Amino acid sequence: EVVENKGAHRMETYDLIVIGSGPAGRRAAIQASKFGKSVLVVERGRRVGGVSVHTGTIPSKTLRETALNLSGWRERGFYGRSYRVKQDLSADDLRERLEVTLGHEVEVLEHQFARNQVTTMQGEARFLTSRQVEVCGEEGERYVFEAKRFLLAVGTVPFRPDTIPFDGKSIFDSDEILELEDLPKTLCVIGAGVIGIEYATIFSALDVHVTLVEPRETMLDFIDRELIDDLTYQLRDRGMVLRFGRKVESVTKLDSGGCQITLEDGRKIRTEILLFAAGRMGATGPLNLEACGLEVDHRGRLA
């Protein structure tokens, strides 16, 4: 079941091809190379590092620390609630530190790959057979590679239902929120999972008025109830509005800017910015997994 290399540049064979360069892909690639195997890492993002470096773990923690530092949040217990380190915080203040941190992370990773003789390539991979992948580069150039083994470490993308009119201006998913150009006065977060709560609390510390909507009656069920009760008290104490057990009926953009969220009980929430953070999906769509005999569930995850 080997496909001829029609119209592509060259055929190279590797011991291992890793698709995705996040924490899993990076460690596997470097370990395999230390064992003397030839390794190719294919990454479709602009730079290596995956979700963890560019839109997930590291950016949100960097934003959190920047928000805590610049807002003087940690000193407010001592100096009072009105204490600020920097009076008028902007989205640029947040992004500045983010770019420095992410740039450093990427450089470290590129250096690790180079030092361990791991080949990296930018492009989107799709299976042709269970032993071959085609990689399409940014300029449309195509390469076919063959490997004895593959590691799928493509990670996840935000779940984006068709009913939500995402536009990257007033309605964002959790990846896009990092591109925010101005800090809003009001923010509504749909989804009280780890990501939703994380951004809700970061923006709340920046004195944005936050409304949190969650269809379930509870949040963060894997954490002890006493901790959640205390967190809930603290969130309300700093002015966050919590709407639990409320399903979203519809989201509409307003001509005057911002958007309106209508809940199933008829209640309406107007907000400048909406962050939809109700789960993530496996980023397996482009891989053409049928060609290698794999199936995914309704959220794009491999069993």
Side-chain angles (χ1 to χ4, degrees):
E1 52 160 353
V2 173
V3 174
E4 282 177 46
N5 188 20
K6 286 179 186 156
H9 285 260
R10 60 179 189 274
M11 170 83 83
E12 284 181 24
T13 302
Y14 290 88
D15 293 318
L16 174 69
I17 291 180
V18 178
I19 303 174
S21 65
R26 149 200 340 179
R27 290 187 179 92
I30 289 169
Q31 193 59 54
S33 184
K34 286 187 195 298
F35 286 144
K37 305 294 182 188
S38 59
V39 184
L40 170 69
V41 173
V42 181
E43 169 56 58
R44 71 175 180 178
R46 285 194 297 272
R47 299 182 75 183
V48 290
V51 168
S52 144
V53 170
H54 296 286
T55 57
T57 313
I58 292 173
S60 62
K61 304 305 168 282
T62 305
L63 271 186
R64 182 188 70 195
E65 290 308 301
T66 309
L68 289 171
N69 288 340
L70 294 182
S71 67
W73 180 264
R74 291 193 175 108
E75 288 78 34
R76 285 185 201 176
F78 188 75
Y79 293 114
R81 285 191 173 193
S82 59
Y83 175 74
R84 299 287 177 278
V85 170
K86 189 170 194 286
Q87 279 306 326
D88 298 311
L89 280 176
S90 71
D92 288 343
D93 293 325
L94 301 176
R95 202 174 297 118
E96 208 170 292
R97 177 148 163 191
L98 200 55
E99 281 167 9
V100 172
T101 308
L102 300 194
H104 174 70
E105 285 292 324
V106 170
E107 278 166 25
V108 168
L109 185 47
E110 286 174 343
H111 178 65
Q112 281 182 335
F113 280 148
R115 203 178 63 221
N116 288 284
Q117 283 96 49
V118 172
T119 309
T120 59
M121 179 172 191
Q122 188 194 353
E124 192 162 79
R126 61 186 287 276
F127 281 93
L128 299 174
T129 71
S130 60
R131 296 193 348 236
Q132 290 182 347
V133 286
E134 177 181 71
V135 178
C136 187
E138 261 198 319
E139 307 292 317
E141 69 278 29
R142 287 164 54 242
Y143 303 88
V144 175
F145 299 105
E146 202 166 47
K148 296 171 188 149
R149 292 192 167 79
F150 292 88
L151 176 69
L152 307 185
V154 292
T156 57
V157 290
F159 172 54
R160 289 171 60 110
D162 298 337
T163 51
I164 307 291
F166 294 98
D167 63 358
K169 293 186 182 69
S170 57
I171 303 173
F172 296 82
D173 65 29
S174 57
D175 284 1
E176 297 169 327
I177 198 77
L178 295 167
E179 309 287 327
L180 198 62
E181 297 197 350
D182 300 296
L183 279 181
K185 298 235 177 344
T186 56
L187 168 74
C188 178
V189 178
I190 297 177
V194 176
I195 297 170
I197 295 284
E198 188 165 42
Y199 282 113
T201 50
I202 287 170
F203 281 98
S204 175
L206 296 168
D207 299 321
V208 174
H209 183 269
V210 178
T211 304
L212 184 61
V213 177
E214 167 58 58
R216 295 178 306 171
E217 294 290 349
T218 56
M219 64 173 169
L220 308 180
D221 292 331
F222 55 91
I223 295 176
D224 290 353
R225 290 311 335 145
E226 295 96 314
L227 292 174
I228 294 298
D229 290 344
D230 186 53
L231 173 66
T232 306
Y233 170 78
Q234 289 191 35
L235 296 181
R236 288 203 161 110
D237 188 50
R238 67 203 216 191
M240 196 181 292
V241 177
L242 306 180
R243 299 265 179 255
F244 286 110
R246 306 287 165 80
K247 285 198 167 126
V248 174
E249 177 80 30
S250 66
V251 174
T252 48
K253 285 190 269 196
L254 299 172
D255 295 338
S256 56
C259 59
Q260 180 168 287
I261 298 108
T262 307
L263 304 180
E264 273 189 349
D265 62 5
R267 207 172 278 214
K268 291 178 168 48
I269 300 165
R270 286 195 160 199
T271 181
E272 205 177 312
I273 296 275
L274 168 64
L275 167 60
F276 185 88
R280 296 179 70 85
M281 296 181 67
T284 47
L287 288 174
N288 188 30
L289 291 174
E290 299 81 48
C292 59
L294 292 176
E295 288 176 7
V296 292
D297 70 5
H298 68 290
R299 283 246 174 158
R301 293 170 299 204
L302 288 156

